Amino acid sequence: MNRLLLILFTAIFGFSSTLFGQEEGDTSAPAKKTPSYFIEGGVSANYGSTNLSNEFIQKLLFGGRIEEREKDKVLDKTNKRNRFGVELNYDLKFVDMKDTLFKKLPDFAYYLGFGSYNNVSASYTKDLFSTVFYGNKQFENETAKLGRSNFVSQKFEKITFGLVARDFSTSIGVSLIIGDRYDQVLLRKADMFTHPEGTSIDIDYNGKMAFADRENRSSFMGFSGTGIGFDYMTLLANRKYTFSITNLGFIVWARNPRYSNTEINYNFDGIEIDNILQTSNEEFRTKAEEIVPGLSSNPFVTLLPTIFRFDKNFNKKETFQTIYGVRYKMLSNYLPSVYGGGSYQINTRMRVAGSLAWGGYAGLRAQAGFYYRYKKIYAGVESTNLTGIFLKSGNGNGANLFFMTYF
Amino acid sequence: MKKNILYTLLAIALFFSCKRKEDTSWDVDVISPVVKTTLTIDDLVADSILSINPDNSVVLDYKFSFSPVEDEFFFKIPDTALKEAYGFPFLSPISLSPGFQFISDPAENSFDLNDAKIEYMEIQSGEMAYRIESEIAERTFYTYTIFKTKDASGNVFRKTISVPAGSRTSPAVVTGSFRLDGYSFDLTGSTGTKFNTFESEVLVNTDPSGGSVTVSNLDSVYVENKLVSLTPKYVSGYLGRTYFSEGPTNNKFSVFEQIKGGTIDIDSIDIYTELKNYVGAEAQFKLNQLVSRNSVTGTTVPLIHSSIGTWINLDRGVDNSGNISPGIRKINYTKANSNIDLVIENLSDEMTTQLEARLNPLGNISSGNDFLYFNKILDADFHIKLPLKFIANDLKFQQKIDLNLSEESNPVNNALVTIYAKNGFPFDAEIQLFLLNTSGSIVDSVMVTGLINSAMTDASNVVTNPVNSILKAAIPANKMGILNKNSEVILQIIFNTNPAPHTVIYRDYFMDLKLVTDMNLEIKYR
């Protein structure tokens, strides 16, 4: 049973852990006693960037004044293309091993799950970074290339019903997706020329904007959009590897959506006021809004930020072993994140692991994990950006927490 | 390291709580156009006073009315008190049965209206206040009637008041009031030949459902009625001979209140006054003085005109079933018959007047057929036609404007504002901004370097081509701080035209303005 539990532990928390795969081994050996129910939960939070320092990101996320020296430091590390992202996901799952809903599938148990996925990400050019954090004055009589940049902010919850093989070799689930928030600004092309003395600004724009219900931005179960998602997990090569897909699906954003997909050339030479001696803030606001590309109120569909993972599983027979894998998240300005390292079983209860990773939102980083098993509880804590914890100049932070219990 | 661990934990905690410890902020340098606008004479002058000649030249056509004489001058009803004490002429106590009427007292009353002889009156507002004191040892009912009155439904004014039992040592006292709004009074008395007179009656009964009560000559009843604050809406009869004098009075004159200095030479002006008498009685009006005063320069210019100091007869108005045709007198003031141009060119903010008026100067020549509607008495309509054809020399115009800024709403730390002007008006304009503290006092200024140059003109000062100018104004952080505390500023513009000939303003003149800012501002979000 211990082996079974360990398999389950790693399988369940595969969604969040970027470090470790499942346990490799033979499932034919019978467990001493199979538990009736499993409850698992986990939280995964991380942020990172290819150019922003931790100090900078922390001020962006949690507040604080960003001084010139901090901007200058970041600018030195800013490349032609850059990334930044924040993720906060949490899951709770209940597995009923006792019951069989489908008599024709006696080898499968069912599970119910709930999850929340919160993601803010951006990819951007150096000019965009400079414009946002330094202003456009530096581009006087020059063109700032702001295009090929993308900003996405979305949050959704899911309620899942799924089936899991009793040997945990495969699971599949279908979810009702509840969309809370979706904001996207995609700049395919955005060339901004600031005329000398700032007398006018030319903008050559080709892009997309999509906003879900901005009036009702409930942070939980907001139903600004609704969709369907699928999860799938399988063990490969005699349980040596795990492959999983999480949140493959879509959301239809139909409540008060705002959407545009346009290409315009615009010369901005000031907000035109009818009578400056009798104007009002309201007139300024209205006239300023006319400059922004018109947004339609047609519903729009977005694909979910599907997570693909491939991990090497643990082999419980080996005290020290290698670990490696890859994680990719679609439509989230996310680079494939690859990791490789080792794991050491300290005793029957404790295990530690460490690895180097590259990709995702940050660059090269170190990761570490500590896992503990006591009676009917398994738990683990991981840092997905160890350098970020130790160094101010690090480019991200991340932590995963998980637990599992059975009865 | 501890700090970073803390931040990691904070990250998790704050993701859940979605709360931030403070705003995220940073400074950026932005150079951008902000506002552009085109000013025409339609923007500078309200439509209501703008008039265009066939040649497209502009005339200020300004009208205003005021009532130089208050209605109380013509007619006022004083508060009128009617007090009575009633006793019982019985040496020996007698018993009054339930419902017994023991007082019935008709009376004729009159209003003290000086020499006015009013026969009919309609009340706009007012009331009858009462105070009743009773020593009768049983509940009593007092009924008060004013004869020959009518409300909107034709009912006579009659009110009954219940007064509880009292005693000699502790009389019952009841006070209150009844509204008289909308009542009409026939003031000709019972015979129909009197004036200012009305008849009333007090009746007092014991309670019909009470018991018998014993009274003697030691018992009394005091009734006090008072007609208070009667404001008529219409009276007829003879209004009397009255005289009114006012002044000298300093009146605020707002037409030029935004002009704070310089001189203006106007080519022509045409002003006339229409005095309209809506009173159904002859009247006379005399303006003894009208002095224009510029409080900034201290210059005073008295109006010189044949009407000054002369009684002006005003015919009585004619009542056409409520529609009154006023008696009208028109007085013209022109450059030819007065010094009205100098009065106007003084750019006064104060007018001192001293006037007199008389009603019925010849007595009761209408045989008591005067009338007065109190919503329309005597109006003076002023009509000023001022062609915008002038010579301005350092004409200083100031206007208080609110930029609607505050520490919270204004992200700009400091700014250099550049004004690009394309001037199609035939005058120069120099701009300055004065900053005020919260008390409204000037504490600093923003110097605007440069001048909006006049458009190119021909020999007649008619615009041939607009001219471009660039002005710059630096607003450093300390001045921005003042603006954030009080965003009201005084915008001062000093105008100059060519010294000769008089410059005409045409409707198609314009000025394009564009504001470009080079600013350092704080981006902030929570």
Side-chain angles (χ1 to χ4, degrees):
Chain A
M1 189 188 77
N2 288 345
R3 181 182 51 75
L4 190 62
L5 291 174
L6 192 59
I7 291 169
L8 181 63
F9 174 73
T10 51
I12 286 167
F13 298 117
F15 83 92
S16 53
S17 170
T18 56
L19 283 178
F20 310 107
Q22 300 185 39
E23 183 174 344
E24 174 190 358
D26 182 7
T27 61
S28 60
K32 289 176 185 172
K33 183 187 175 187
T34 303
S36 301
Y37 307 104
F38 291 88
I39 294 175
E40 309 94 27
V43 180
S44 168
N46 78 85
Y47 59 82
S49 173
T50 54
N51 67 322
L52 308 182
S53 66
N54 269 4
E55 190 178 18
F56 197 98
I57 296 171
Q58 283 155 8
K59 287 183 175 177
L60 279 181
L61 295 179
F62 310 120
R65 179 157 181 81
I66 300 171
E67 303 294 348
E68 292 299 307
R69 61 166 183 81
E70 293 166 310
K71 294 194 290 186
D72 294 345
K73 272 186 186 176
V74 170
L75 187 64
D76 287 342
K77 290 178 68 178
T78 301
N79 300 309
K80 202 172 178 182
R81 285 184 61 74
N82 309 277
R83 291 171 196 277
F84 165 69
V86 185
E87 281 184 282
L88 172 64
N89 306 327
Y90 59 91
D91 267 14
L92 194 65
K93 191 178 283 184
F94 168 79
V95 185
D96 185 351
M97 300 293 288
K98 201 174 177 183
D99 199 4
T100 302
L101 286 181
F102 304 101
K103 291 185 178 176
K104 289 185 178 178
L105 298 169
D107 296 332
F108 284 83
Y110 78 89
Y111 72 88
L112 300 173
F114 177 81
S116 175
Y117 296 83
N118 195 344
N119 188 193
V120 178
S121 68
S123 62
Y124 45 91
T125 63
K126 186 173 186 175
D127 282 1
L128 181 64
F129 174 84
S130 293
T131 304
V132 169
F133 289 100
Y134 289 89
N136 73 325
K137 189 177 179 184
Q138 61 188 310
F139 293 109
E140 186 178 344
N141 205 21
E142 285 181 27
T143 298
K145 298 279 188 184
L146 312 178
R148 300 190 67 200
S149 298
N150 185 26
F151 169 84
V152 183
S153 170
Q154 65 178 317
K155 181 171 179 292
F156 62 90
E157 283 85 42
K158 70 176 183 180
I159 298 169
T160 308
F161 173 79
L163 298 175
V164 56
R166 291 184 181 279
D167 64 357
F168 294 100
S169 60
T170 302
S171 72
I172 186 164
V174 60
S175 304
L176 169 68
I177 305 293
I178 299 146
D180 296 331
R181 183 187 75 232
Y182 188 86
D183 299 324
Q184 183 186 18
V185 178
L186 169 65
L187 305 176
R188 296 186 197 95
K189 182 179 184 185
D191 292 347
M192 184 178 78
F193 178 73
T194 303
H195 284 256
E197 307 280 334
T199 51
S200 66
I201 294 173
D202 295 336
I203 297 170
D204 185 1
Y205 165 86
N206 181 343
K208 184 172 84 171
M209 293 185 193
F211 305 103
D213 191 356
R214 305 197 84 181
E215 302 301 318
N216 179 26
R217 300 171 74 80
S218 168
S219 58
F220 186 72
M221 304 287 270
F223 277 103
S224 295
T226 310
I228 294 175
F230 297 93
D231 299 335
Y232 175 71
M233 185 280 296
T234 187
L235 300 179
L236 304 171
N238 196 25
R239 294 182 169 273
K240 190 169 184 179
Y241 302 103
T242 299
F243 174 71
S244 66
I245 301 173
T246 308
N247 298 332
L248 178 65
F250 62 91
I251 301 181
V252 180
W253 302 92
R255 196 167 72 183
N256 301 325
R258 309 288 286 160
Y259 183 86
S260 82
N261 193 357
T262 55
E263 181 175 2
I264 53 172
N265 285 298
Y266 188 77
N267 171 258
F268 174 66
D269 61 349
I271 297 168
E272 186 152 10
I273 298 298
D274 291 335
N275 183 352
I276 200 165
L277 300 175
Q278 291 179 7
T279 189
S280 64
N281 286 349
E282 179 64 19
E283 185 183 8
F284 268 103
R285 194 182 62 78
T286 306
K287 295 281 175 65
E289 283 178 356
E290 289 170 4
I291 297 167
V292 179
L295 295 164
S296 77
S297 55
N298 295 330
F300 59 91
V301 178
T302 59
L303 295 176
L304 294 176
T306 310
I307 300 167
F308 297 90
R309 291 196 51 166
F310 180 81
D311 299 286
K312 176 187 175 293
N313 295 331
F314 294 116
N315 185 338
K316 70 162 192 167
K317 296 173 184 173
E318 296 177 19
T319 303
F320 181 83
Q321 60 192 294
T322 58
I323 56 172
Y324 53 86
V326 60
R327 178 182 190 259
Y328 178 63
K329 188 174 184 181
M330 283 195 339
L331 306 170
S332 303
N333 300 302
Y334 192 88
L335 275 179
S337 176
V338 294
Y339 69 91
S343 169
Y344 178 69
Q345 191 76 36
I346 299 170
N347 54 40
T348 54
R349 287 184 177 174
M350 289 186 284
R351 181 162 63 85
V352 292
S355 66
L356 288 175
W358 184 91
Y361 291 123
L364 186 65
R365 59 198 183 274
Q367 305 185 125
F370 174 76
Y371 310 90
Y372 189 75
R373 179 164 64 89
Y374 179 70
K375 294 186 177 175
K376 293 183 176 180
I377 295 176
Y378 287 78
V381 57
E382 297 174 343
S383 164
T384 55
N385 196 332
L386 206 55
T387 46
I389 293 179
F390 288 96
L391 300 175
K392 258 187 171 181
S393 58
N395 53 359
N397 257 316
N400 299 326
L401 305 171
F402 10 85
F403 78 94
M404 185 274 287
T405 187
Y406 62 89
F407 50 92
Chain B
M1 188 186 92
K2 280 182 183 172
K3 194 177 175 187
N4 283 324
I5 292 171
L6 180 67
Y7 272 123
T8 307
L9 295 173
L10 259 179
I12 294 167
L14 290 176
F15 274 138
F16 279 106
S17 63
C18 294
K19 285 178 183 170
R20 297 157 57 83
K21 58 180 182 175
E22 59 179 306
D23 291 343
T24 297
S25 65
W26 66 90
D27 290 345
V28 296
D29 294 313
V30 172
I31 183 167
S32 172
V34 179
V35 168
K36 63 179 178 179
T37 190
T38 298
L39 289 176
T40 65
I41 197 69
D42 294 84
D43 299 319
L44 298 171
V45 179
D47 289 347
S48 56
I49 61 170
L50 194 64
S51 174
I52 307 298
N53 287 327
D55 67 350
N56 224 18
S57 62
V58 177
V59 176
L60 295 188
D61 199 343
Y62 192 76
K63 298 172 193 168
F64 64 94
S65 298
F66 72 99
S67 188
V69 180
E70 294 175 1
D71 54 7
E72 288 189 353
F73 154 62
F74 295 105
F75 193 79
K76 185 179 179 184
I77 300 176
D79 290 352
T80 303
L82 315 166
K83 279 186 191 174
E84 286 294 344
Y86 302 97
F88 294 92
F90 313 118
L91 291 176
S92 304
I94 65 162
S95 176
L96 303 179
S97 58
F100 182 78
Q101 183 186 90
F102 57 92
I103 294 175
S104 174
D105 183 24
E108 189 173 82
N109 313 284
S110 62
F111 291 112
D112 180 7
L113 301 175
N114 299 321
D115 68 331
K117 297 174 180 175
I118 302 303
E119 296 170 5
Y120 178 77
M121 171 172 70
E122 292 175 8
I123 301 297
Q124 177 74 35
S125 64
E127 63 182 22
M128 189 198 79
Y130 60 83
R131 183 179 187 280
I132 300 169
E133 201 173 305
S134 170
E135 296 172 357
I136 311 298
E138 182 57 82
R139 175 178 295 278
T140 50
F141 291 100
Y142 292 71
T143 302
Y144 189 79
T145 305
I146 303 176
F147 296 106
K148 300 180 85 171
T149 56
K150 284 180 187 172
D151 65 8
S153 306
N155 301 314
V156 72
F157 180 86
R158 178 174 291 122
K159 303 292 177 186
T160 299
I161 304 154
S162 169
V163 180
S167 66
R168 287 169 206 154
T169 54
S170 178
V173 177
V174 175
T175 59
S177 64
F178 294 111
R179 298 298 301 175
L180 289 166
D181 303 7
Y183 275 94
S184 65
F185 282 65
D186 181 337
L187 298 176
T188 58
S190 57
T191 61
T193 58
K194 297 179 179 176
F195 42 82
N196 305 341
T197 304
F198 64 96
E199 279 190 301
S200 62
E201 180 185 64
V202 176
L203 300 177
V204 185
N205 296 65
T206 56
D207 186 354
S209 57
S212 297
V213 61
T214 301
V215 296
S216 73
N217 61 344
L218 298 175
D219 297 313
S220 297
V221 172
Y222 300 94
V223 179
E224 181 181 343
N225 292 320
K226 194 173 185 183
L227 299 173
V228 182
S229 304
L230 289 190
T231 303
K233 65 178 175 184
Y234 173 80
V235 295
S236 64
Y238 171 56
L239 295 175
R241 294 181 71 169
T242 50
Y243 170 79
F244 171 80
S245 175
E246 186 189 75
T249 306
N250 295 326
N251 306 289
K252 192 178 177 197
F253 189 65
S254 60
V255 175
F256 303 114
E257 68 181 350
Q258 290 167 325
I259 296 176
K260 301 295 182 186
T263 60
I264 186 167
D265 178 13
I266 55 178
D267 182 61
S268 66
I269 187 166
D270 183 13
I271 296 181
Y272 67 81
T273 305
E274 277 187 340
L275 290 168
K276 295 179 179 175
N277 179 22
Y278 290 88
V279 182
E282 282 71 21
Q284 286 184 321
F285 183 84
K286 183 167 73 171
L287 183 62
N288 290 316
Q289 61 167 301
L290 187 149
V291 180
S292 139
R293 182 169 185 275
N294 185 322
S295 64
V296 176
T297 62
T299 310
T300 56
V301 179
L303 175 66
I304 300 169
H305 184 262
S306 59
S307 67
I308 299 295
T310 304
W311 283 106
I312 298 161
N313 294 322
L314 296 172
D315 293 338
R316 65 171 50 224
V318 177
D319 189 353
N320 303 308
S321 305
N323 291 320
I324 307 160
S325 303
I328 298 176
R329 283 298 301 272
K330 185 175 177 180
I331 306 163
N332 288 301
Y333 305 92
T334 64
K335 274 180 85 168
N337 70 13
S338 71
N339 66 339
I340 190 69
D341 55 328
L342 301 178
V343 171
I344 297 299
E345 286 170 1
N346 190 36
L347 302 172
S348 66
D349 54 357
E350 204 173 272
M351 288 282 186
T352 303
T353 56
Q354 202 269 311
L355 55 88
E356 295 172 84
R358 290 176 185 157
L359 191 68
N360 279 321
L362 303 176
N364 189 6
I365 59 172
S366 70
S367 303
N369 284 315
D370 296 351
F371 67 86
L372 178 58
Y373 288 90
F374 281 74
N375 61 343
K376 204 77 173 170
I377 298 175
L378 182 65
D379 281 354
D381 294 348
F382 272 85
H383 196 135
I384 303 173
K385 291 190 84 167
L386 175 64
L388 281 186
K389 187 177 182 183
F390 57 90
I391 297 166
N393 179 31
D394 287 337
L395 192 64
K396 191 184 287 180
F397 168 93
Q398 286 188 348
Q399 184 173 353
K400 194 181 272 190
I401 53 176
D402 192 345
L403 301 177
N404 290 317
L405 301 176
S406 68
E407 198 97 41
E408 292 73 34
S409 68
N410 179 20
V412 181
N413 299 317
N414 57 73
L416 175 66
V417 180
T418 305
I419 302 168
Y420 293 86
K422 183 179 182 182
N423 188 10
F425 282 100
F427 50 70
D428 294 336
E430 184 184 330
I431 300 174
Q432 194 168 356
L433 214 58
F434 293 100
L435 311 183
L436 308 176
N437 62 14
T438 49
S439 311
S441 305
I442 294 174
V443 290
D444 211 330
S445 68
V446 175
M447 293 298 297
V448 181
T449 58
L451 184 72
I452 298 178
N453 293 306
S454 168
M456 295 173 68
T457 57
D458 61 16
S460 304
N461 274 345
V462 175
V463 171
T464 54
N465 280 305
V467 167
N468 292 319
S469 308
I470 299 175
L471 293 79
K472 288 185 184 292
I475 309 174
N478 63 324
K479 293 185 181 183
M480 197 62 78
I482 296 171
L483 275 173
N484 287 337
K485 282 182 185 155
N486 179 27
S487 65
E488 275 195 334
V489 298
I490 292 175
L491 172 67
Q492 175 178 288
I493 307 175
I494 299 174
F495 297 100
N496 277 292
T497 61
N498 286 334
H502 284 84
T503 298
V504 180
I505 302 298
Y506 292 95
R507 191 178 203 176
D508 54 355
Y509 286 170
F510 69 94
M511 186 189 294
D512 287 341
L513 289 171
K514 180 155 84 171
L515 266 64
V516 176
T517 56
D518 179 352
M519 57 189 163
N520 178 269
L521 59 89
E522 183 183 47
I523 306 287
K524 186 189 281 189
Y525 69 86
R526 180 169 283 273

